[in-house]
Amino acid sequence: MKHPGLGPVTAIANQKGGVGKTTTTINLAASLAALDKRVLIIDLDPQGNTTSGLGVNQKSVRRGTYDVLMGEGDLADVIMDTACERLFLLPASMDLVGAEIELVNELGRELRLQQAFSSYSGVPYDYVFIDCPPALSLLTVNALSAADHVIVTLQTEFYAMEGLTQLMDSIRRIKQALNGQLTMEGILLTMVDTRNRLSNQVEADVRAYFGSQVYTNMIPRNVRLSEAPSFGVPVMYHDVRSKGAQAYIAAAQEYMQRLAIQ
């Protein structure tokens, strides 16, 4: 499903919170922007952490993803610049909280974002990333219906695998019913602590079960990664030499290689 002017669209998903979705969305996108690509991030999470993580106060956002989903704003008109070169944002306004309820009785409610992409006629982007909410909600269904690929972020902890089969099942159902082009792009392991035996065990289990779907590169637990959102910048703008920044640059390069193979 190639949209005019929009390069590969990748949804970053997991119905669990706190597993590095937003961090991955911001830093993968910023790494690609640093590699001279024009990248668009779409914040589809009502919490708006991607928006604030890029230095934008959610309360000051007048128009964003809500307006696009409700058909009240054209995608090209709502996209804003960020402080990072070649990195652009469709922000989450405070109104996004109500989108789920307002869309419930609307016709084609699962395909609102897909429709917005199809009618896009603005400046082209090389890559598009969607930060999904931590739930298998109508907003997440919109993201997966509009995306070409899904990356699942997975924290290497005890319950990591538990919700994964449910998420995979949802991805399969959306592929069958709404978006035949959707592919599972990969699983990115986040918050990895190689000194921790459990973390290593979870990594081994995930790799044994999912094989080549799991990214070779992993994202370590890293103080600089945790600090960067409070400065409103991607980690590479905060400390490019940090392990977190280097890990996302490596993951971005692997992402491009994986897409080239598909």
Side-chain angles (χ1 to χ4, degrees), residues 49-125:
N49 290 340
T50 294
T51 299
S52 60
L54 286 167
V56 178
N57 184 342
Q58 197 183 12
K59 289 176 183 166
S60 71
V61 175
R62 293 214 167 81
R63 298 167 78 218
T65 30
Y66 170 83
D67 304 273
V68 171
L69 290 171
M70 302 308 294
E72 294 169 9
D74 188 57
L75 182 59
D77 299 334
V78 184
I79 292 168
M80 60 187 294
D81 293 350
T82 70
C84 311
E85 214 176 335
R86 294 178 296 279
L87 187 61
F88 302 86
L89 173 68
L90 177 60
S93 65
M94 303 297 280
D95 296 331
L96 192 56
V97 176
E100 294 267 352
I101 301 148
E102 291 175 51
L103 282 171
V104 163
N105 298 316
E106 296 285 331
L107 204 63
R109 57 187 179 270
E110 303 98 339
L111 302 173
R112 290 303 185 89
L113 193 57
Q114 189 187 110
Q115 287 158 3
F117 284 176
S118 299
S119 59
Y120 179 74
S121 58
V123 183
Y125 292 94

Side-chain angles (χ1 to χ4, degrees), residues 11-220:
I12 311 287
N14 193 320
Q15 74 271 36
K16 289 183 72 174
V19 293
K21 272 193 308 294
T22 298
T23 303
T24 294
T25 305
I26 290 173
N27 291 297
L28 261 190
S31 297
L32 290 165
L35 294 167
D36 280 342
K37 306 296 181 188
R38 279 178 59 83
V39 188
L40 171 62
I41 294 179
I42 295 173
D43 191 353
L44 211 55
D45 185 348
Q47 293 174 48
N49 290 340
T50 294
T51 299
S52 60
L54 286 167
V56 178
N57 184 342
Q58 197 183 12
K59 289 176 183 166
S60 71
V61 175
R62 293 214 167 81
R63 298 167 78 218
T65 30
Y66 170 83
D67 304 273
V68 171
L69 290 171
M70 302 308 294
E72 294 169 9
D74 188 57
L75 182 59
D77 299 334
V78 184
I79 292 168
M80 60 187 294
D81 293 350
T82 70
C84 311
E85 214 176 335
R86 294 178 296 279
L87 187 61
F88 302 86
L89 173 68
L90 177 60
S93 65
M94 303 297 280
D95 296 331
L96 192 56
V97 176
E100 294 267 352
I101 301 148
E102 291 175 51
L103 282 171
V104 163
N105 298 316
E106 296 285 331
L107 204 63
R109 57 187 179 270
E110 303 98 339
L111 302 173
R112 290 303 185 89
L113 193 57
Q114 189 187 110
Q115 287 158 3
F117 284 176
S118 299
S119 59
Y120 179 74
S121 58
V123 183
Y125 292 94
D126 297 308
Y127 296 99
V128 179
F129 289 93
I130 308 172
D131 187 20
C132 297
L136 295 172
S137 61
L138 190 50
L139 291 174
T140 301
V141 172
N142 258 278
L144 296 176
S145 298
D148 301 306
H149 312 283
V150 191
I151 290 177
V152 175
T153 55
L154 196 68
Q155 189 178 351
T156 51
E157 53 156 36
F158 188 63
Y159 293 113
M161 298 279 278
E162 210 170 61
L164 198 53
T165 40
Q166 191 188 353
L167 179 61
M168 295 297 199
D169 193 42
S170 298
I171 291 167
R172 262 194 304 276
R173 286 207 306 274
I174 288 165
K175 187 180 171 82
Q176 283 167 357
L178 297 166
N179 179 5
Q181 307 281 307
L182 186 64
T183 63
M184 177 64 190
E185 202 289 301
I187 297 168
L188 182 65
L189 299 176
T190 59
M191 305 181 195
V192 176
D193 182 356
T194 50
R195 297 163 305 174
N196 180 317
R197 208 165 67 195
L198 176 63
S199 185
N200 292 329
Q201 186 59 54
V202 171
E203 183 205 338
D205 290 348
V206 174
R207 290 194 187 282
Y209 192 79
F210 291 102
S212 63
Q213 283 192 309
V214 187
Y215 269 64
T216 305
N217 287 287
M218 301 183 294
I219 309 304

